[in-house]
Amino acid sequence: MAEPVLEIANLAVAINGSGDRPYAVRGINLTVGANEIVCVVGESGSGKSVTAQAVMGLLPKNAMQVETGSMRLQGEELTTKSDVDLRALRGTRMAMVFQEPMTALNPVERVGDQIAEVLEVHTDLDPKARRERVLEMMRAVHLPDPEQMIDAYPHQLSGGQRQRIMIAAALVLDPALLIADEPTTALDVTTQAQILKLVKEMQGRKKTGVLFITHDFGVVSEIADRVVVMQMGRIVEQGPCEEVLRNPREDYTRMLLAAVPSMTPPKRSPVSGPVVLQTEKLFKTYGKRSLFQPRARIVNAVSDVSLTVRRGETLGIVGESGSGKSTVARCVARLVEATSGAIRIDDVDIASMKEAKFRPMRRRVQFIFQDPYRSLNPRRTVGEAIIEGPMNFGLGRKEALQRARDLMAVVHLSPDAIDRYPHQFSGGQRQRICIARALAMEPELLIGDEPVSALDVSVQDQVLKLLDEVRRRFDLAVLFITHDLRVAAQVCDRIAVMQRGFIVEQGTTSEVFAAPRHEYTRALFDAAPGRNREFFAAKAADMAAEAVVPGRPH
């Protein structure tokens, strides 16, 4: 048997200072072979990314360090390498693709120059040869019009195109090992499918070993040769992909599989409550031509959108990035001004209201954003974040604090936790706090813009159940924006599918999923990862009924 590209033996990474455990990872044993994709799955905090950072020599200084164990790259020990030696290996023999390309890329440097930087550091190629190699890689990752795009800046590209740039930079020197840390989490289903296909294609072309970190079992079922399951810094199960998905041995693995939302919508009774939100012929256009800018670019982000949401109902808007779904949500919340059309909240048209007149109505429409950490002020306690809105609308501090404590209990957090700061909570807990903050305003319409896309599957499952619980408890109308069709299937009563600013299909969730009429809707379903692997979710759901996971309430 050929020597593995990566071999990790008994790895332990110690955490300096206080923490919930002394080791980030301990006793890690895994291998990645040439032309093999090994997927590492687990909840946030399980040690997936720490393992990858240890291999790359990117552990945060003075916070973590490798205490024991061995990491060998093509038989060469990494734990004894100096920083200079590791820097020479990064890019040439091992490379990493990060989760958020907009953060990983330099916003003021052209994307072609950022790929070429790897060649400049590690090769003797002249500028002309470097540019030709960059263009070759951009064509290899299927970027459109590379000759033009090579001189573009990151903000001028879509999320999928930026991720392709990251893959091109990682693979430009044909490394033996590629580590991909959640590279498709923030992407819509069609872009995600393209990136997954690209990773497999590039891996197969150069026989690269791939360590792919993800929390999405749909992604695992599409690309993995082997699966490694991690929990609390340890590997609890590993084996061939089909074996782990069909016959997981550990209760924890069964729980993760059971948390994967199904593409089969549950039966839901029609909602007949009063209409809370109605939009009619809503348009939002960016850019404006004038005498001085006759050729200014005009973008029709939203075109002729008409929809309704009733009290007690969840309407999901799905579509690719750039389809206009988030713009619709922001127009409804008056975070951006609609170009034309009507937006009625309880028959009151707010679209053209002056801000001073609309301000008293703001409490009736509340927003939950995608990233809870960026939504909360890190310098203020979560209690202050929750009471700010009600106090701005006249509620006394004592009453507002009591409401905050009551709502912390509603979202299944300790009422005493209102004196803590955002960084003292996990991602799922922070999103619960954002839900409590929105509910503190006693809204009629709750808008969730990708509120669970950044969460791992088990936490995502908990937050989705919480959203459904508060919808029923407070009889809310919910506008739910998502690119995840599995999530939409489970939480939405009705679905609106958007493409290039238009609603191309609309109907009950069960009808749209059972028989999509529009070609674009069918394309979205075809691109959903794991769409043909319902067997593992259904089987795991049966097994999860008997599963007992240590440290988890049941």
Side-chain angles (χ1 to χ4, degrees):
M1 183 176 177
E3 187 176 71
V5 170
L6 174 67
E7 188 173 13
I8 301 175
N10 199 33
L11 176 68
V13 175
I15 300 174
N16 298 330
S18 60
D20 61 346
R21 60 183 192 259
Y23 292 91
V25 297
R26 195 172 189 180
I28 302 300
N29 295 281
L30 66 85
T31 62
V32 179
N35 201 29
E36 181 182 42
I37 299 180
V38 177
C39 282
V40 183
V41 296
E43 296 173 289
S44 297
S46 62
K48 309 184 300 292
S49 294
V50 170
T51 302
Q53 290 167 3
V55 172
M56 294 292 295
L58 297 176
L59 290 173
K61 300 293 184 184
N62 303 319
M64 297 179 186
Q65 74 274 334
V66 175
E67 187 174 275
T68 61
S70 169
M71 298 180 292
R72 301 176 72 85
L73 178 67
Q74 293 181 309
E76 193 171 342
E77 184 61 53
L78 298 176
T79 56
T80 57
K81 295 287 185 185
S82 66
D83 289 343
V84 173
D85 291 337
L86 286 172
R87 186 169 185 263
L89 289 174
R90 289 194 289 263
T92 55
R93 291 170 58 190
M94 59 180 180
M96 192 165 182
V97 178
F98 295 92
Q99 178 174 351
E100 179 46 67
M102 196 59 181
T103 303
L105 292 169
N106 188 332
V108 297
E109 191 174 345
R110 300 177 193 275
V111 295
D113 292 338
Q114 297 189 58
I115 300 173
E117 183 180 6
V118 181
L119 299 171
E120 186 176 357
V121 170
H122 294 289
T123 73
D124 297 325
L125 295 175
D126 60 44
K128 182 179 179 181
R130 288 200 298 267
R131 186 176 178 88
E132 285 303 314
R133 176 60 177 156
V134 170
L135 287 170
E136 180 185 340
M137 282 304 302
M138 291 179 74
R139 294 186 192 102
V141 297
H142 308 304
L143 281 163
D145 198 4
E147 287 76 10
Q148 294 292 324
M149 191 171 288
I150 192 173
D151 295 318
Y153 291 93
H155 72 274
Q156 296 174 303
L157 309 184
S158 69
Q161 289 171 339
R162 288 193 289 266
Q163 199 59 286
R164 288 169 188 267
I165 292 292
M166 291 294 297
I167 293 171
L171 296 178
V172 69
L173 290 177
D174 299 330
L177 174 68
L178 174 67
I179 299 177
D181 190 359
E182 301 273 14
T184 62
T185 297
L187 304 177
D188 60 66
V189 287
T190 51
T191 306
Q192 183 182 63
Q194 294 164 9
I195 295 298
L196 293 177
K197 182 179 178 182
L198 175 63
V199 169
K200 284 196 69 113
E201 176 187 320
M202 298 299 291
Q203 174 249 355
R205 181 181 299 175
K206 301 296 182 182
K207 308 301 181 185
T208 305
V210 178
L211 188 68
F212 196 104
I213 297 169
T214 183
H215 64 252
D216 189 336
F217 269 99
V219 170
V220 170
S221 69
E222 291 288 333
I223 68 169
D225 297 305
R226 287 191 298 115
V227 180
V228 175
V229 183
M230 294 187 67
Q231 179 190 22
M232 295 294 290
R234 293 184 179 273
I235 293 175
V236 297
E237 182 168 356
Q238 61 178 308
C241 179
E242 292 290 315
E243 181 181 318
V244 173
L245 296 186
R246 286 182 180 274
N247 299 298
R249 301 188 309 272
E250 298 296 320
D251 290 336
Y252 179 72
T253 310
R254 295 187 187 106
M255 182 278 295
L256 290 180
L257 286 165
V260 178
S262 169
M263 284 282 281
T264 304
K267 291 183 179 180
R268 290 176 175 265
S269 301
V271 178
S272 57
V275 173
V276 173
L277 167 68
Q278 183 176 27
T279 70
E280 291 183 359
K281 297 186 178 301
L282 185 66
F283 285 81
K284 175 59 183 177
T285 302
Y286 290 101
K288 186 177 181 180
R289 293 193 176 98
S290 65
L291 178 64
F292 301 103
Q293 291 182 306
R295 296 184 179 180
R297 188 184 179 205
I298 304 298
V299 177
N300 296 314
V302 173
S303 302
D304 197 22
V305 168
S306 299
L307 52 81
T308 60
V309 189
R310 297 180 178 273
R311 186 174 290 277
E313 178 183 49
T314 300
L315 172 67
I317 304 182
V318 300
E320 296 172 289
S321 299
S323 62
K325 52 189 190 299
S326 290
T327 304
V328 169
R330 290 169 184 270
C331 286
V332 169
R334 285 289 299 269
L335 299 179
V336 297
E337 298 294 326
T339 303
S340 63
I343 304 170
R344 294 191 177 90
I345 305 294
D346 291 334
D347 285 331
V348 178
D349 190 353
I350 66 171
S352 56
M353 273 187 181
K354 299 294 184 183
E355 177 59 31
K357 189 176 180 180
F358 174 68
R359 187 178 182 277
M361 295 190 67
R362 280 204 176 274
R363 55 158 290 274
R364 298 164 72 177
V365 182
Q366 289 298 300
F367 216 104
I368 303 170
F369 294 93
Q370 179 175 354
D371 187 340
Y373 196 68
R374 291 168 64 185
S375 302
L376 296 167
N377 188 332
R379 296 175 181 269
R380 304 186 69 186
T381 65
V382 298
E384 292 295 327
I386 294 172
I387 69 174
E388 180 182 15
M391 288 182 64
N392 284 342
F393 279 81
L395 194 66
R397 183 176 180 86
K398 183 177 179 181
E399 293 85 354
L401 281 170
Q402 185 56 51
R403 182 182 293 182
R405 291 189 182 95
D406 293 342
L407 286 169
M408 288 290 277
V410 168
V411 299
H412 308 304
L413 293 174
S414 170
D416 297 332
I418 63 171
D419 295 323
R420 293 162 61 187
Y421 289 87
H423 74 272
Q424 295 175 290
F425 296 88
S426 69
Q429 288 172 329
R430 285 194 290 264
Q431 198 62 291
R432 289 171 184 268
I433 291 164
C434 290
I435 294 171
R437 182 178 61 177
L439 294 176
M441 299 298 291
E442 298 182 335
E444 298 171 36
L445 174 66
L446 192 63
I447 301 174
D449 189 2
E450 303 275 11
V452 297
S453 66
L455 306 176
D456 60 61
V457 286
S458 57
V459 178
Q460 182 184 83
D461 183 53
Q462 296 164 17
V463 173
L464 289 175
K465 287 176 179 175
L466 174 62
L467 284 170
D468 203 47
E469 178 185 323
V470 299
R471 175 189 61 80
R472 286 183 277 105
R473 179 169 181 167
F474 297 100
D475 199 23
L476 296 171
V478 179
L479 186 64
F480 194 93
I481 312 299
T482 183
H483 66 254
D484 192 328
L485 294 171
R486 291 178 179 275
V487 168
Q490 296 306 306
V491 303
C492 300
D493 298 286
R494 291 188 299 113
I495 293 286
V497 182
M498 289 194 69
Q499 180 189 26
R500 297 175 184 170
F502 291 91
I503 291 179
V504 298
E505 184 164 355
Q506 196 170 173
T508 67
T509 305
S510 56
E511 290 172 348
V512 172
F513 273 72
R517 300 186 306 273
H518 197 276
E519 181 181 349
Y520 176 71
T521 311
R522 292 193 290 271
L524 287 181
F525 289 156
D526 289 341
R531 61 200 174 279
N532 298 321
R533 302 300 186 95
E534 286 292 322
F535 65 83
F536 70 79
K539 188 177 180 77
D542 294 337
M543 292 185 289
E546 303 299 326
V548 178
V549 180
R552 285 188 161 273
H554 348 285

